Amino acid sequence: MPEPRRHVRGSDHLVVCRLSERRGIVVRMNTKISGALTALLLVGSGPLAAQAPRLGTVSFPNSGSRAAQRPFLRGVLLLHSFEYDDAAAAFREAQRADPGFALAYWGEAMTLTHPVWNEQALDSARAVLGRLAGTTEGRRAKAPTPRERGYLEAVEILYGEGAKPRRDTLYSAAMARLSAAYPNDLEAKSFYALSLMGLSQATRNVPAYMRAGALAEEVFLRNADHPGAAHYLIHAFDDPVHAPLGLRAARAYAKIAPGADHAQHMTSHIFVAMGMWDETVAANEAAAGPDRSTWPPGHYTAWLDYGYVQQGRMAEARRLLDTARPNVGSPPRPARLAYLLTMRAHYLVSTERWTDSVAAWPLEGSGLPVPQAMDAFALGYAALRRGERPVAEHLLGRLDSLAKVPHTEDRYGGSPQVAVILAMELRALLRATDGATDEAIALLREASTLEEAMPLEYGPPDVVKPTQELLGELLLAKGKPAPAQQAFVRALALTPRRALSLLGLARAAAAAGDTAAAAAAYADLRQVWHRGDA
């Protein structure tokens, strides 16, 4: 099997996830040990549990004042769940309680690097450290224990001199040393695991991700209520090949940190990779919040919309588009508009409702190439199915232009190959319409080679019509069921239990006389669609 494809979309953060101000926090303080306070933070346990959700449990000995413990440890928990804004606020609260508490500044600085999204606010992080003291030596003097100095030295490296890849590599090495020096420090081990996933600069390096997963698994075995352990396990394994390794963590994480919206969503990274659509929908409904009227187009709602169409709940998916569209902002926020484009694209392609009025919505203004390419392909595909060839040809030109756009500033994080592949797909569809079937099949095989060479995707596919699925449909339409069946099998290996690929496999297997495979595919599809529209 070829190495898994993956890209890292730096877009989880584009949805603003606000946590309730009311948090139940119980801190058990032990006696000083070697100059450090040992603190165990349980959020949502104890007397306040009935009125506030939990964030998990960590043990982080430190020398901060008693008054700084509660906000500091809350900040660590939020940091593990990538609730960066709220974590920064908690760390600043700890600084106000204890202005000389070095780890409170370390924590706030750590909220400004997002390893799996390949983001880092270097100047802002340096400014945070500068508030502790103006020099590295001055900041070091604020850390009273060797272990705390180790954390501070690591963050100094992370935001030191040199290019980001070099600083990330040196920081990861520093966290490896800290973890080795303090083998019982589960926080050092957790942040070391996270640092490994940041080394590849937005592209999955499978060995590094597996090492990160092994470290996170060790933490998870020692503390089954650790939010970072569960979270990083999910990130390490959220592709169709490795997803079963992350299923236990996915089932646990939402219960560990119900107070973090991101924790509710993150479970679906594993669920999508395994084609668990009921769980995907439930996770993102919880993450998006109870007030559906305010749901914007964003990371959670985009995954939710994809889950609905896989379940066969096309009417629900359409209602979600109608809900999200007015919440794009005025003027439209670029990130929200980008997500609305991806939602429309998946809706049109997966429902095959080519004449739906959603195709006529004027959605302009997103400068992000991948969402624009996804939308242009879907609109062109729909136009061709409606018999509007000039519209499809115009949109093919749009895709060809997008394929030439530099992607260095694409905050969506998609692969620059997406527009190239989608242009090849639409060109193949046009050639097939002209009767040039062999040429169309050759184009799709070439596009499939490019798609499988991409880093492995997680979540709804950016190649909004997976190439092997389209190839299977074309082969089947041309009376070639056996190779069509092979194409659908490959499509399902990359996008497990995707409804249209299951349907295609069932039809191709039946046409090829493989009744057992057809029956199995139809049975799986019936289960996927058990909540589907009549």
Side-chain angles (χ1 to χ4, degrees), residues 105-308:
Y105 297 86
W106 161 85
E108 185 183 356
M110 287 296 294
T111 68
L112 294 165
T113 194
H114 310 151
V116 298
W117 302 336
N118 193 31
E119 293 179 347
Q120 199 172 83
L122 180 60
D123 292 341
S124 297
R126 287 173 175 171
V128 170
L129 295 174
R131 296 205 314 269
L132 174 61
T135 65
T136 300
E137 293 74 17
R139 292 189 286 272
R140 178 182 173 84
K142 298 279 188 178
T145 70
R147 176 174 157 277
E148 290 177 79
R149 285 195 291 275
Y151 276 99
L152 208 59
E153 288 166 1
V155 81
E156 294 278 0
I157 292 170
L158 181 62
Y159 298 124
E161 298 301 321
K164 181 179 179 295
R166 179 177 183 273
R167 289 185 283 107
D168 287 347
T169 300
L170 294 175
Y171 165 74
S172 185
M175 292 309 299
R177 292 192 297 271
L178 187 63
S179 178
Y182 300 94
N184 292 323
D185 185 349
L186 299 186
E187 301 317 295
K189 196 178 298 291
S190 297
F191 288 117
Y192 174 38
L194 180 60
S195 75
L196 289 171
M197 290 189 283
L199 290 180
S200 49
Q201 308 294 312
T203 301
R204 186 185 191 102
N205 177 285
V206 174
Y209 269 65
M210 296 305 101
R211 288 175 60 203
L215 289 166
E217 177 73 17
E218 184 179 341
V219 175
F220 196 49
L221 289 173
R222 294 172 65 180
N223 177 7
D225 201 44
H226 195 290
H231 190 181
Y232 308 150
L233 272 169
I234 292 169
H235 271 297
F237 299 135
D238 62 350
D239 67 73
V241 176
H242 301 101
L245 298 174
L247 184 58
R248 186 163 63 95
R251 293 199 183 281
Y253 188 28
K255 299 174 184 176
I256 291 170
D261 293 338
H262 188 68
Q264 309 311 302
H265 159 75
M266 266 308 302
T267 61
S268 65
H269 279 233
I270 297 297
F271 299 149
V272 168
M274 297 182 69
M276 300 168 64
W277 305 118
D278 292 353
E279 292 84 352
T280 295
V281 164
N284 286 287
E285 285 179 339
D291 187 356
R292 294 186 175 228
S293 66
T294 65
W295 285 358
H299 193 70
Y300 305 157
T301 46
W303 287 50
L304 177 57
D305 197 66
Y306 187 72
Y308 282 150

Side-chain angles (χ1 to χ4, degrees), residues 103 207 228 274 315 335 345 355 360 380 433 479 482 487 510:
L103 285 182
M274 297 182 69
T355 60
T433 302

Side-chain angles (χ1 to χ4, degrees), residues 61-107:
N62 65 79
S63 60
S65 69
R66 183 176 295 271
Q69 293 304 309
R70 178 184 297 221
F72 171 73
L73 293 166
R74 179 173 179 266
V76 172
L77 289 168
L78 290 164
L79 181 60
H80 279 312
S81 285
F82 293 1
E83 298 286 2
Y84 291 118
D85 290 345
D86 295 282
F91 287 124
R92 286 193 292 269
E93 184 181 344
Q95 294 163 24
R96 290 192 293 271
D98 186 350
F101 181 19
L103 285 182
Y105 297 86
W106 161 85

